[in-house]
């Protein structure tokens, strides 16, 4: 397998096949057309290469009457669809913890996207962004499916008591945009964010939503299993990419080497050794990601003081010096360019 053709779990595309079958589509013929073997996809740990996913989605979207398929695929997905991650979610004490588990282990759910979760002041934000380049059609398809799945899973976890929400998509409105009225209490906006992805905002403090199946013992076992799977997913040759992703997607201060090592059930020394084996260091990656984030915040129009606070600097002058060392110019000059 080529490095630029990563693998993703096949289970979600098996569910897509079930939705297609319910619509009267000959799923076996469809899979044969893109050279996929149904029996191989049905295995518990089956994977698809992303090139196969691209071919499958293109074939589906070329068929008449299936433009809204992603919306319905998202609707049938449940936390239990996510294997060990879903079990950990259902065993969580409240919805907030369940969503944090999902964000922490989203690489096991859908490696082709990154999930970012943030909760503060009675509001919750969830963002998804593509983890690697993909066609516009495939991106739009998955953004619809992921956004719909998130909405319906939260509604299920909250026993139907859905808070007011907003969904912001980077893609333009689809032909079936009227179907989004089915998301009660949600305002949907298309083409409303610049970078590829989808952003979901909820007027809710999900720590106040306990879950009926909360079980501390089951949660501990499920999280241990997720950590084991994640450790395997970031095997040698992929640790650097994973660390960079975790640094980029952390909103509440960048995680330390120790915190990332704990996520993988590794010692900080072992994780550092893996990084060195790939010609990287945690400090270099952290500086690189912090600079990337600073540039992004400058583009958004935040002040230097705001950015310094967001990135954990003690004051604006320390941030300015660090930025000048990395970029060769002051933040104000970079913003002007």
């Amino acid at each position: 397998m080529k490095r630029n053709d990563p693998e993703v779990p096949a289970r979600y595309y098996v569910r897509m096949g079930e939705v297609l079958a319910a619509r009267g589509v000959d799923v076996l013929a469809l899979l044969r057309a893109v050279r996929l073997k149904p029996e191989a996809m049905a295995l518990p740990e089956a994977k698809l290469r992303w090139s196969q996913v691209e071919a499958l989605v293109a074939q589906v979207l070329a068929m008449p009457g299936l433009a809204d398929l992603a919306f319905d695929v998202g609707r049938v997905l449940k936390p239990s669809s996510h294997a060990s991650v879903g079990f950990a979610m259902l065993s969580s004490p409240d919805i907030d913890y369940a969503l944090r588990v999902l964000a922490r282990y989203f690489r096991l759910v859908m490696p082709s996207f990154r999930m970012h979760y943030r909760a503060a002041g009675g509001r919750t934000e969830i963002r998804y962004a593509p983890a690697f380049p993909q066609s516009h059609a495939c991106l739009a398809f998955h953004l619809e499916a992921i956004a719909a799945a998130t909405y319906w899973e939260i509604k299920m976890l909250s026993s139907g008591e859905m808070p007011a929400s907003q969904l912001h998509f980077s893609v333009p409105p689809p032909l079936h945009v009227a179907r989004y009225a089915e998301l009660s209490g949600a305002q949907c906006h298309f083409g409303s964010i610049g970078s590829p992805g989808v952003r979901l905002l909820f007027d809710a403090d999900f720590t106040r939503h306990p879950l009926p199946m909360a079980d501390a013992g089951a949660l501990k076992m499920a999280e241990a299993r997720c950590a084991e799977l994640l450790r395997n997913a970031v095997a040698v040759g992929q640790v650097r990419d994973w660390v960079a992703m975790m640094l980029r997607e952390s909103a509440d201060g960048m995680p330390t080497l120790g915190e990332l090592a704990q996520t993988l059930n590794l010692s900080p020394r072992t994780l550092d050794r893996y990084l060195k084996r790939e010609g990287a260091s945690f400090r270099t990656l952290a500086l690189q990601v912090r600079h990337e984030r600073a540039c992004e915040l400058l583009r958004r129009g935040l002040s230097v003081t705001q950015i310094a606070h967001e990135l954990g600097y003690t004051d604006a002058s320390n941030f300015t010096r660090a930025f000048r060392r990395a970029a060769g110019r002051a933040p104000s000059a970079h913003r002007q360019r």
Side-chain angles (χ1 to χ4, degrees), residues 82-278:
H82 309 319
S84 297
V85 178
F87 184 53
M89 292 175 67
L90 293 170
S91 303
S92 296
D94 52 53
I95 295 179
D96 174 78
Y97 194 97
L99 292 173
R100 291 182 187 277
V101 165
L102 180 62
R104 190 182 313 139
Y105 299 112
F106 198 72
R107 185 186 179 102
L108 301 175
V109 175
M110 184 51 64
S112 48
F113 287 83
R114 298 168 181 157
M115 177 182 174
H116 164 85
Y117 178 82
R118 185 172 187 174
R123 286 173 61 85
T124 297
E125 176 186 5
I126 300 172
R127 286 191 289 113
Y128 297 99
F132 49 76
Q134 47 196 275
S135 70
H136 174 76
C138 206
L139 173 66
F141 182 91
H142 284 84
L143 290 180
E144 275 203 79
I146 290 172
T150 302
Y151 174 92
W152 291 109
E153 287 176 18
I154 290 176
K155 187 168 186 176
M156 189 209 81
L157 292 173
S158 61
S159 301
E161 298 178 6
M162 197 65 180
S165 58
Q166 295 184 46
L167 280 66
H168 294 268
F169 294 83
S170 61
V171 294
L175 296 175
H176 53 279
V177 66
R179 290 209 59 190
Y180 279 81
E182 297 172 28
L183 306 183
S184 59
Q187 297 178 12
C188 300
H189 311 273
F190 291 87
S192 57
I193 54 177
S195 57
V198 60
R199 182 170 178 246
L200 298 91
L201 301 171
F202 297 90
D203 292 328
D205 177 358
F206 285 128
T207 61
R208 299 181 180 179
H209 292 255
L211 296 180
M213 294 176 61
D215 185 322
L219 175 61
K220 184 177 180 180
M221 288 191 295
E223 288 193 287
R225 175 59 176 160
C226 289
E228 179 186 359
L229 292 170
L230 186 60
R231 188 166 59 248
N232 294 336
V234 293
V236 175
Q238 302 177 32
V239 174
R240 174 179 179 161
D241 294 342
W242 180 80
V243 169
M245 181 196 73
M246 294 295 284
L247 290 170
R248 288 190 185 100
E249 296 307 308
S250 175
D252 303 319
M254 294 176 69
T256 65
L257 176 66
E259 289 169 339
L260 293 180
Q262 186 176 24
T263 300
L264 298 176
N265 278 353
L266 299 174
S267 70
R269 181 175 297 179
T270 300
L271 179 56
D272 185 57
R273 187 170 67 250
Y274 284 171
L275 286 170
K276 287 179 179 177
R277 190 179 298 170
E278 297 177 29

Side-chain angles (χ1 to χ4, degrees), residues 272-290:
D272 185 57
R273 187 170 67 250
Y274 284 171
L275 286 170
K276 287 179 179 177
R277 190 179 298 170
E278 297 177 29
S281 74
F282 179 79
R283 184 176 185 277
T284 300
L285 289 174
L287 288 173
Q288 176 185 332
V289 170
R290 182 175 284 185

Side-chain angles (χ1 to χ4, degrees), residues 17 19-30 60 63-66 69:
V19 176
L20 287 167
R23 290 192 176 195
V25 173
D26 185 342
V27 177
L28 292 179
L30 170 65
V60 166
M63 303 171 72
L66 295 179
L69 177 66

Side-chain angles (χ1 to χ4, degrees), residues 36 56 157 174 275 281 313-314 335:
L36 288 175
L56 180 59
L157 292 173
L275 286 170
S281 74
Y313 288 93
T314 54
R335 192 201 304 272

